[in-house]
Structures are given as C-alpha cells and as structure tokens.
Amino acid sequence: MKINGKSYKTIWFENNLVKIIDQTKLPHQFIIKELKTVKESINAIKQMEVRGAPLIGATAAYGLVLSIIENNDLSYLKKSSEQLVNSRPTAINLKWAVDRMMKKLLGVNNSDILKIALDEAKAITIEDENFCKNIGLNGLKIIEDIANKKKDTVNILTHCNAGWLATIDWGTATSPIYHAHQKGIKVHVWVDETRPRNQGANLTSYELNEEGIPNTVITDNAGGILMQRGQVDMCIVGTDRTLSNGDVCNKIGTYLKALAAKDNNIPFYVALPSSTIDWNIKDHNKIPIEERNPKELSYVEGLDEDNKVKKVRIYSEKSKAMNLAFDITPAKYVTGLITEKGVCEASEKGLKGLFK
Ligand code: MRU
C-alpha cells in the first residue's frame, strides 16, 4: 500500500541487508531501517520496530538469512532459530516461519544454503501478500452485503493494527476494507486507539489516511456506546493465534469489543492467514500471553510544541502497572473467520472444512 503516494512493502531484502519500516517512529517519522544481523532482527521484533503476527514471522525468516550470511554454521543457525522463536511469545507465525525455514535448510549443503534460505524467506512474504489479498476479496463480500442492505456508509470498528503494516501488504482486518474502498463502497473505520502502544492511532489511522479511507480514532472504551447507538455495522480484527476450535488470541481489549458486539447483535469477524492457526494447542489457557514492560503504560511519546518527538511519564512512579499484551476471545463471540480460502465458522468443523 502507499505512503506519500509511493507503494511500499513492510520488509524487503536488498544488497545483503533486510530493510524494514521502523514502526516505532510512525506516524511522526518515516524511517527505513537496515537489519544487518540476526541479533538486530531479534531486537527489531522485541522492540516492535516490526510487529503484527505475519510481519514478525517474515522478519524471523529473513533473520535466518542474515544468520547464514554472518556465520554459515549449523549450530549458529539452530541457536538463531531458537532465539527468533523466543523473541515474542504469543504470535504463532514466528514459530511457523522458523519451522518452515528450518525444514528447508536442515541437511542442505553449505554452498547452497544461502540461496535456499533467501528463496524461502521471499516465498513466505509473497505467500503472505497473496493470502492477505484473498482475505480481502473474501471479506469484501461481507461488507458488500451490508452496504447493499444499508444503502449508506458502512461503519467498521477495528482494534490494534491488523493493517498492511502488520503484514507484508494489504493487512488482514484492513484488506476487506481496502478492497471495498477500491470498489467504490463507502466505508468509515472506527479505530480503537489501542493503549498502551497505540497501534490503532499511530499505525491503523495513519495507513488508512494514506489510502484516503475515512476513519476516526476512538478511545479503547468508546466502542460500546457507539455500538449501542447503532454507529457500528461490523467489527473486523486480526489475530496472533487462532486455535483449531476457533478461539482467538489478539491484542488486549479485543475480547471486550467482542462482548459488546455480541450484546448489540453486531457481527464480529476475525481475519487471518492460515499461518496464524495453531493446530496443536487445544485449550486457550495454554497460549503464552506476552507481558511487556509496564513502562509502556506509564510513558507516552508524541510531538511537543516544537514538533520534536518527546517521551513523557503520565502518572506517578509509585503506581504499579501491569502490561498484558493479548487476550482471548472465545469462539462463541466470533461471527466468522475470514481466511485466504474463504469465510468459515469459528470452530474446528469450520476451519477443517477450509483447511483439510
Ligand atoms: O503487539 P502487536 O502490535 O504485534 O499486536 C498485533 C496484533 O494484535 C494484530 O492484531 C495481530 O498481530 C494480527 S496482524 C495481521
């Protein structure tokens, strides 16, 4: 999608380096950062310079390419793969991408390994882009139906950033929105601010603005009253890990939006590529929920009066804070899963029907 009218992907490989858009700097600064080593890739994932389940998977894949460039040695590669998988715990895409890469790389000649690794990392990004495009086409039908019935702007609420910045391109939750907009359907997006990292305000609103899609940032707690007032036609969110029974793990606060949507009979959709499905864990209590530094709550960053980026503390140092990054929305609150293969019920039957 576009930034300042120019098309970008979120990650690419150039001159033996991995290039990313540093998302910690958006929306105030647009900085392309170079990753030279696997350590820098791990750091980029941990610090959330890249974030969003599909994008951190792709970054891990390219991290292994960098690991081979640095040191073409099997034990170094294995160590790198473990460190990459552990760089953030919740999104399954990290392990999915690293496992896929290692399956290709183990047992390969040292002289061939770099090319094979690079080809596979690129294949992961191309596949994700195609999957996200198809998610958009499948979700478009849902928006079209609402638009045809309503004959007015479709108001869609989303949480966090499951936009193109969280993937390679198109996004998951935003892809149906981009497709609807391109088809001339009038859409407006309610963007949850998404404390504490403000991915909604900083990233989702930013990317929608760049594509000319009307949107309004709201506080994380405003969704409920908007739903009660009939100002939300549907919700679409992303996910970091969806279990085979349809339970959805996503950014903290997603569950409360799903509860409010249920109470107000508003469809609540989750958009995901198949790389985000965890076919192994059966009980959502077993999903590792990331707990991040509480300072992400007590400090906020923004522009000061002189247009300089500044970080300030917003409450007392004595206040204890807790920073759980994800929550679980049980399948019963999910109207449907929008995948690259079609839309299905949030259940084992639904998912297995699409993914044999
Ligand atoms: O902590 P983040 O910003 O990586 O969390 C991202 C989300 O929760 C997204 O909704 C999810 O990864 C899906 S991205 C298509």
Side-chain angles (χ1 to χ4, degrees):
M1 309 303 286
K2 292 195 183 75
I3 293 176
N4 279 330
K6 190 176 165 200
S7 289
Y8 284 93
K9 309 283 176 211
T10 51
I11 189 164
W12 64 99
F13 190 80
E14 203 177 292
N15 300 331
N16 271 6
L17 296 169
V18 175
K19 300 215 174 165
I20 58 164
I21 298 166
D22 183 349
Q23 300 191 20
T24 61
K25 301 287 188 288
L26 292 173
H28 306 304
Q29 295 163 290
F30 178 73
I31 293 173
I32 292 175
K33 189 169 176 176
E34 293 176 345
L35 306 177
K36 298 177 209 68
T37 61
V38 66
K39 202 167 166 205
E40 286 178 4
S41 311
I42 292 164
N43 203 42
I45 296 170
K46 283 189 174 166
Q47 300 308 319
M48 294 173 66
E49 291 166 353
V50 284
R51 26 72 47 207
L55 180 57
I56 57 178
T59 308
Y62 276 121
L64 289 177
V65 173
L66 294 175
S67 162
I68 295 166
I69 293 173
E70 273 172 75
N71 182 356
N72 191 351
D73 166 80
L74 185 61
S75 64
Y76 189 66
L77 186 67
K78 283 188 176 162
K79 198 171 142 228
S80 300
S81 72
E82 275 159 32
Q83 288 173 338
L84 283 161
V85 169
N86 294 328
S87 55
R88 284 190 81 188
T90 303
I92 188 78
N93 301 59
L94 260 182
K95 185 171 158 31
W96 170 86
V98 169
D99 284 353
R100 176 166 159 173
M101 292 288 289
M102 292 305 278
K103 210 171 149 192
K104 278 265 163 179
L105 300 178
L106 291 177
V108 158
N109 283 340
N110 269 15
S111 53
D112 302 330
I113 196 166
L114 178 57
K115 183 180 178 319
I116 294 173
L118 192 51
D119 285 351
E120 194 61 11
K122 278 188 185 154
I124 286 174
T125 59
I126 293 166
E127 183 181 284
D128 187 70
E129 195 182 328
N130 289 332
F131 282 3
C132 285
K133 190 173 178 189
N134 286 337
I135 288 169
L137 293 169
N138 294 328
L140 167 65
K141 293 173 201 143
I142 302 168
I143 301 178
E144 252 173 343
D145 279 355
I146 296 174
N148 288 339
K149 278 190 203 124
K150 197 182 171 194
K151 306 215 179 320
D152 200 353
T153 303
V154 180
N155 287 301
I156 303 167
L157 184 141
T158 193
H159 190 67
C160 192
N161 173 263
W164 77 269
L165 289 167
T167 63
I168 307 303
D169 209 348
W170 292 102
T172 59
T174 55
S175 187
I177 299 171
Y178 288 131
H179 279 88
H181 178 71
Q182 287 179 4
K183 232 187 145 182
I185 298 169
K186 279 194 189 153
V187 285
H188 164 263
V189 186
W190 295 113
V191 179
D192 282 354
E193 188 180 28
T194 320
R195 284 278 291 146
R197 297 284 299 220
N198 296 330
Q199 291 96 324
N202 290 346
L203 305 174
T204 306
S205 177
Y206 170 78
E207 60 165 86
L208 292 172
N209 289 341
E210 294 292 313
E211 289 292 326
I213 298 186
N215 68 91
T216 308
V217 177
I218 52 175
T219 63
D220 291 329
N221 298 320
I225 189 161
L226 291 174
M227 291 185 202
Q228 287 172 328
R229 287 177 172 180
Q231 288 175 280
V232 179
D233 297 304
M234 71 185 298
C235 304
I236 318 181
V237 300
T239 168
D240 288 80
R241 194 186 288 240
T242 289
L243 301 191
S244 57
N245 67 6
D247 287 352
V248 168
C249 180
N250 191 46
K251 180 55 54 194
I252 193 87
T254 303
Y255 171 48
L256 293 178
K257 290 299 131 63
L259 286 179
K262 185 82 177 176
D263 192 45
N264 291 280
N265 284 321
I266 291 163
F268 188 92
Y269 285 94
V270 178
L272 67 149
S274 49
S275 52
T276 307
I277 304 169
D278 184 335
W279 296 101
N280 295 316
I281 291 184
K282 302 285 172 214
D283 171 2
H284 66 66
N285 291 308
K286 300 230 160 65
I287 299 176
I289 300 290
E290 180 177 14
E291 192 169 340
R292 294 185 62 86
N293 193 328
K295 282 193 175 147
E296 290 185 349
L297 268 73
S298 51
Y299 284 81
V300 289
E301 199 175 279
L303 288 187
D304 69 7
E305 285 136 357
D306 301 320
N307 267 350
K308 291 222 169 70
V309 177
K310 202 168 181 181
K311 205 170 193 175
V312 292
R313 183 155 49 75
I314 53 171
Y315 51 78
S316 161
E317 255 177 346
K318 287 185 190 154
S319 300
K320 218 174 117 189
M322 187 202 204
N323 188 8
L324 287 173
F326 298 94
D327 64 20
I328 310 288
T329 301
K332 63 181 174 181
Y333 299 118
V334 179
T335 309
L337 301 173
I338 309 173
T339 77
E340 74 269 17
K341 289 215 173 167
V343 181
C344 71
E345 189 185 272
S347 68
E348 182 134 14
K349 193 170 155 238
L351 279 169
K352 286 203 168 148
L354 289 180
F355 304 96
K356 293 276 179 321

